[in-house]
Every structure is written in C-alpha cells, then in structure tokens.
Amino acid sequence: MAEEAKLRGNRFFTAGQYLEAADAFTEAIGLEPSNAIFYSNRSGAYLKLNRGQDAIADAKKCIELRPEWPKGYSRLGTALFYVKKYAEAKAAYERGLTKDPNDANLLDGLRNAKAQLPDAVSLKELTMASPHAKFRTFQFGLRSLMAASFLLYWTAWGSASTAAFAFATFFKLGAANYASFLAWNHGKPQMNAAYAQRVVTDPTTQALMFCLLFWFSSPYSIALLPIALNEGVHFASFAGSLFLSLGSSVGATCFSLLDPIMPYYLGPQTAWHTLNNHGKWAALYHRTPQVVANLDVGIGLCLILELLTPARNFMLLLIYWQLLRIRYMISPQLKNAFSQLDMTLSALVLHPRAPTILATGYSKLKDLMANMVKMPTPEEAQQASAMPKCSIM
C-alpha cells in the first residue's frame, strides 16, 4: 500500500502536480513512517511548492532514517540553498560527499553553494557564528589537546610515568570528544528503542567504547593510531579553514606536502592529483574509516600474538575482541577489513607446502567466529520470543 502511494506520488510529481504528489507521499509516510525514500520525495515536492522549511525538515528526517544515503544530503543541501542558507547548504553537500565522493548531484550542488560564498569566511564566522560553529571550535580545542598528548607520548622515551599520563590523557580527551558529539548529534537521552538504536549503531559510540577501554589499560602504543588518524583528518580540515580565515596559505602549503603519499593512502583508483581541494578532503574522509578499521583488526591480532609474551593481557584481549564482534555486525568497513584478512590467511594455510592441519584448524575457527557474529533469522527470533519465561512465585 505504501509503495502504491509512492508510485502515485511519483506520477503526480512528473506531471507537475506537486500538491497532489506531496499528499501521496504523506499517505505513504503514514503507512510506512520509517522509509527514508518517502521523506526524500516529499521534500522535493515541498520545494516545488515553495515550502522551503518543510523541505528542510523532511530532508533532515530522511538523513536521520538513512544516514549513509547520499540522496538525503542532496535534498537537504538543495532545500537550504533555496532558502539562501548557502553556508549550511555547503556543509550538507560536504557531509553527503563523505558518503559518496563521486555523487554528481552533490558535487554540482556544492559548486553552486560555494559560488554564493566568499572564498574564505571570517574568523568569527568560522568559530562563533552559529551553535554548530561553536561546537566545531570546541571539538578543535579537544583535538588540539589530543594532538599534544599524542606527541608527548611518542617523545617521552625516558619517562614511563610521563608516557602513561600522556596515553591516558589522550583517551580521556577522545572519550570526551565522542561523548559530546553523541550528545550534540542525537540530543538529550530518550527512553525509547529508536533513540537507543540510533546511538548504538552510530560509529561514534564504537569509538567512544574504544577510548574507554584503553583509557583504563596500560599504555599500548598501536592503540593510539586509529583514533589519532581519524581525529587528525578532522583536526587538519578545521586548521586549514582557520588558516584560510586568517589569510594565511600555511594550510594549503602543508596539504600540498602530502601529495606524494596520498595516492598510496587512497589507492590507485583515486586520481588524487586531478582532484580540487574539496575533492581531496572528500576522498580523505571517505578513505579514512576503512584504514582505521584495518588498524583496529591489526590491534586485535597484536593482542593475540602477545599471548606468547610475558606482556600478555587476557582481560584486554577478551574485552577488545568482544568490542570488535559487536562492531563487525554493524560496520561495513570492519567487515571488509576482516574479509581482506581472511583472503590473506586463506592463501597462507592453503599453500601447497602448508600442513593440512592448518587449513582444517583455520576452517573450524572461521565457522566458530561466523556463528559468534551471526544475526538470528526472523524464524529463530520468533522461536526465542515464544519460549516460556522464567517466573518467580
């Protein structure tokens, strides 16, 4: 029924009957309120009816329901552009390009939005002009302190206590950064399943748990790298804007120094040298989560190998792999990282010179791990819910 209403709305929209189209999409939403496509379509219809604020509201709802879909950001950017909020439109398009750097609609929209803006914003506008700007400035402050802690850790060769302090401080600041972002992004805590699902499936929550885990552990150097890399990209992006607002070319100069290594970081499929400045940042934002996931898997392997050394930490190993298990079920980047690891290990254990027992053992290990992350089928879930509950008389 909802799909029929949507198709009817599409026909009205194509015929230029935008009011009827909006009504049809509203009917579809009433029948299936969790479908992001219906909000996206109604946003487009509202825009044709000169109802810019309604179009913005529907686009935001679309993003809330389906945050990885670039179309929602395109809708939001278009609606914001229509009401002449060019800076916010630019931000919406940029967020969308982190999901798909090659989306033509987002790229065109971004060019149009940037054409309405000056090349550089003032320092006040960048840091204090809006609540979002103030929050970004707050995050930049936390990331600056994280960078200082990171550098202190790697330079405190002669003092174990200084290194331990820097290590713990780095993850304390990281936890504060991620917790504040969750509060900003999801609002005040709500006692309902929808809010809990949004928070649990947010990658920021997983990063927060990572920081909390290593905050209370002894210094483990490699654990710094995923958080440092992820936050370093955001730090550098804001710092570049900051230098630009001050009329300095330092940011652009530093960025150009990365040109020789970026093709290796991004992979041969990304023509780094042909991208403009925005395209380069979009490519970095798109690639970094996968590199971070690869590092996360590497940390897990290092913890396993440490079982062979006196420095082994069983508790950290168990908790970390449980965290990886949870993240695997919701993170496509982590699934891809484990897939790459599987291909590498399979090639080793299936080598003609490798003992057969290695292939057999690895196959059983894969089956065990697959069962650990297997999601229940609808039939299994229904069967579990139908089981008699324990009660106390």
Side-chain angles (χ1 to χ4, degrees):
M1 296 293 292
E3 187 65 23
E4 292 177 3
K6 187 200 81 167
L7 293 175
R8 189 167 67 254
N10 289 345
R11 289 194 295 270
F12 282 133
F13 190 94
T14 303
Q17 298 173 272
Y18 303 120
L19 181 59
E20 291 79 1
D23 290 341
F25 295 137
T26 300
E27 179 184 343
I29 289 171
L31 295 169
E32 193 176 331
S34 62
N35 193 313
I37 295 176
F38 300 161
Y39 286 96
S40 171
N41 289 0
R42 192 172 69 173
S43 176
Y46 279 156
L47 204 58
K48 292 292 186 179
L49 293 169
N50 299 321
R51 295 168 60 177
Q53 295 302 326
D54 291 331
I56 291 171
D58 271 2
K60 288 182 177 179
K61 184 65 176 179
C62 173
I63 292 172
E64 176 186 326
L65 292 171
R66 196 171 169 183
E68 296 301 317
W69 191 33
K71 183 70 172 181
Y73 300 93
S74 178
R75 290 290 194 196
L76 179 58
T78 303
L80 289 167
F81 187 93
Y82 178 81
V83 298
K84 302 186 186 304
K85 294 184 177 181
Y86 302 120
E88 294 181 38
K90 174 177 173 288
Y93 288 128
E94 288 174 340
R95 287 174 62 197
L97 285 167
T98 65
K99 313 300 179 184
D100 183 0
N102 301 313
D103 188 286
N105 291 329
L106 290 169
L107 290 170
D108 289 340
L110 179 63
R111 279 193 292 270
N112 293 334
K114 291 175 72 173
Q116 302 296 325
L117 294 169
D119 291 337
V121 297
S122 67
L123 180 62
K124 182 178 180 180
E125 184 178 358
L126 176 67
T127 58
M128 302 296 289
S130 67
H132 182 257
K134 292 177 181 178
F135 181 69
R136 287 188 65 203
T137 304
F138 167 73
Q139 283 193 301
F140 180 71
L142 286 178
R143 287 166 178 153
S144 299
L145 294 174
M146 290 175 70
S149 300
F150 182 82
L151 293 174
L152 178 61
Y153 176 82
W154 289 104
T155 55
W157 299 107
S159 174
S161 60
T162 301
F165 169 78
F167 184 87
T169 301
F170 177 86
F171 285 108
K172 287 178 187 177
L173 293 167
N177 183 36
Y178 292 127
S180 63
F181 180 81
L182 286 171
W184 171 266
N185 200 36
H186 297 286
K188 293 186 294 185
Q190 302 172 20
M191 301 300 292
N192 58 63
Y195 179 86
Q197 183 179 17
R198 289 202 309 272
V199 172
V200 169
T201 56
D202 191 323
T204 306
T205 302
Q206 314 310 318
L208 172 60
M209 298 304 296
F210 184 97
C211 287
L212 292 175
L213 174 61
F214 284 100
W215 174 0
F216 295 104
S217 76
S218 56
Y220 196 73
S221 300
I222 193 175
L224 294 163
L225 300 182
I227 301 298
L229 178 60
N230 190 55
E231 294 308 301
V233 173
H234 295 285
F235 174 83
S237 176
F238 190 88
S241 299
L242 195 61
F243 282 121
L244 189 61
S245 70
L246 295 172
S248 171
S249 61
V250 172
T253 302
C254 293
F255 200 38
S256 65
L257 295 176
L258 299 176
D259 283 353
I261 64 173
M262 280 299 106
Y264 300 99
Y265 180 78
L266 298 173
Q269 71 278 8
T270 303
W272 174 261
H273 296 289
T274 66
L275 299 174
N276 58 22
N277 195 52
H278 172 77
K280 289 180 177 180
W281 279 115
L284 274 175
Y285 277 115
H286 185 73
R287 173 61 177 165
T288 298
Q290 183 59 62
V291 177
V292 168
N294 294 343
L295 287 171
D296 289 340
V297 173
I299 292 171
L301 294 177
C302 288
L303 288 171
I304 292 175
L305 293 175
E306 278 195 354
L307 292 177
L308 305 175
T309 73
R312 54 185 171 269
N313 187 330
F314 289 104
M315 185 60 68
L316 180 62
L317 173 69
L318 291 174
I319 297 176
Y320 184 80
W321 274 93
Q322 180 65 13
L323 179 61
L324 280 186
R325 172 177 173 265
I326 296 171
R327 289 182 57 199
Y328 179 88
M329 292 186 279
I330 59 178
S331 170
Q333 289 85 11
L334 202 60
K335 289 179 180 178
N336 187 52
F338 272 107
S339 177
Q340 293 175 9
L341 176 64
D342 175 48
M343 288 190 292
T344 302
L345 293 179
S346 295
L348 291 174
V349 300
L350 296 176
H351 192 276
R353 295 185 179 180
T356 307
I357 191 173
L358 289 180
T360 304
Y362 182 62
S363 177
K364 291 183 177 180
L365 177 62
K366 281 178 60 177
D367 291 340
L368 174 64
M369 297 188 72
N371 288 328
M372 289 177 64
V373 297
K374 179 183 177 183
M375 298 295 287
T377 63
E379 293 77 12
E380 291 172 338
Q382 184 177 6
Q383 183 179 6
S385 63
M387 292 179 65
K389 304 293 189 297
C390 177
S391 60
I392 299 176
M393 301 300 292

